[in-house]
Amino acid sequence: MPTARLDVTAGAGEVGLAISGRLDAAGAGAIWRATLVAAGRARGRTLRFDLSAVSLCDTAGATLLLAAEATHGGTAQFDGLSESAAALLLRLRPLAPATAPPASPPTPGRWQARLIADAVDAVAFLGEAALAVLALPRRARMLRPRDLLRMADAAGVGALPLALLLGFLLGLILAFQSVIPLRRFGADIFVADLVSISVLRELGALLAAVIVAGRTGSAYAAEIGTMKVNQELDALFTMGLDAMTFLVLPRVIAVVLVMPALTLALDLAALAGMTVAMRAFGFPLAAVLHEVAQFATLRDALDGLGKALVFAAANGAIGCAAGLAAGSGPRAVGEAATRAVVGGIVATIVIDGLFALILYRLRS
Amino acid sequence: MNGAGEEIVVDVMGVAQRFDGRRIFENVSLSVRRGEVFAILGGSGCGKSTLLRQIVGLQVPSAGAITVLGRAMPRERGLVRSAIGVMFQSGALFGSMTLLENVMLPLEMHTDLPPEGRAAVARVKLGLVGLRDAALRLPAEISGGMVKRAAIARALALDPPLLFLDEPSAGLDPITSAGLDRLILDLRRDLGITFVVVTHELESILAVADRCIMLDAAAGGVIATGDPRRLRDDSTEPTVRAFFHRQAP
């Protein structure tokens, strides 16, 4: 139920707005738009408020009166205002916004500028990382073995169950989806070759990299981002510790060290999944193993593992860079983690494409 | 220095607080009159903030009764929610919102003001605390003193007649702290707001408080009550003298 009421009377040279009731936030809300519309229509004429029936006027009510005066564009007459409300109006007059401030206009080229700034940051990060690697012999004390082991454990052992599960399901689904169409051509036994080669060369490393981006990269970004928000990075700086050597290098080294084992575990789980599917379609185990041994080579596995190392380094570095670039406030950590995951997955796909191109050139 | 009336707006009668059987304080009574600035003083750990939480209905006292604007707390807290404003020690601004959005939030939840009306009222509140030009900044982008002032603006959003401030000057430099003291007095003068201030900042107490009570952890309750300037000058109680004269008791 509205606690304030507005009556408008329009004459030739004057518009009268009679307000009654409580002019607090609830009352002002009930008549806000009607009052401003009437005040706008009164432009060029005298705007006169009759406030003798107002029982209370607080800052919300006074803001409404001042907003109406601003909308009218001239000085309004406030009749019947109580002494305290008049004093309040006088006090708030310099504070009331004349008009709503315009939203900041979109700056042309803003996203391009952001893109360039991000690219510059990435190059600077790589440069700093390279310098930190070169300076590592002098700063070896900053690379603490216990931290390195803890990080390797979190990135590798912690991710192993997930890698085994996803690898097994990948092999199972790929084999299942491939057997049905290839059976029509009598080529279903070759599913073992197809799945094993694609997993060892490509999919194993790719899926392991996605796991690392989602688990490890985001964790690095959140850890370092939180440290930055809590001014721990500033504390490191004041203690003469280099964040790149103390925080980034151990994390990147840890994830690079565990990535081959993670990828290999995922590859083997995928081959196991594929074997289970093939057995379900009636192929003897010996036939499946024979196909895999005949077509999949050590070189396929090494190609995959080599790519996995680069994926790991990229994802670890991107996670750390996102953490170091975190802003301030509670949103910053979440944004850093998101940037780490998105950036890591995009970088993985781009690097994979480059590998495909380079390996094709080298072997053709 | 005060324009206080006789109407009691906060009445605390013999409250106590225990945590896991451990006594924080007991038998604390006080009454706050409309229009005055009332301070709750004491050293760290004496239960000042706990008493404030009891008064605003965030904590149920182990014993005793509290009324705020004639309503029993915390049972009738919902009936006085829009009539009291609380500024927490950290400011407790929502970090993902600008200062303007922080101040607009109570208006959005509790009034039918249209968005442009909410923004106009919120800008006026920010103007009252001297933050009109910082309306679109995030809490993380402003200083500690500005956070406290923004928190006061948010507490003022619904024009409450009663404002509770928990350690408004804590962690601030003397100039910013003095600015906040002046703000409290200005708001009391211009808007007729009654203030209950929890603090241990001596300069603030002497600058703004009309009356005060002093809690003491060792005594487990109130050890002094009255005009802080008279307590400073006349009290013979060792802890009170130590507090006001900055000496170890």
Side-chain angles (χ1 to χ4, degrees), chain A residues 35-53:
Chain A
T35 306
L36 294 201
V37 167
R41 286 183 184 152
R43 277 188 189 146
R45 290 180 282 175
T46 303
L47 178 64
R48 185 179 293 277
F49 282 90
D50 177 3
L51 303 166
S52 55

Side-chain angles (χ1 to χ4, degrees), chain B residues 183-200:
Chain B
L183 175 65
I184 291 170
L185 294 175
D186 285 350
L187 291 173
R188 195 259 293 267
R189 184 196 64 214
D190 296 336
L191 305 179
I193 295 172
T194 306
F195 283 91
V196 177
V197 184
V198 166
T199 184
H200 60 254

Side-chain angles (χ1 to χ4, degrees), chain A residues 341-354:
Chain A
V341 175
V342 173
I345 291 173
V346 169
T348 299
I349 304 292
V350 170
I351 293 169
D352 196 35
L354 292 174

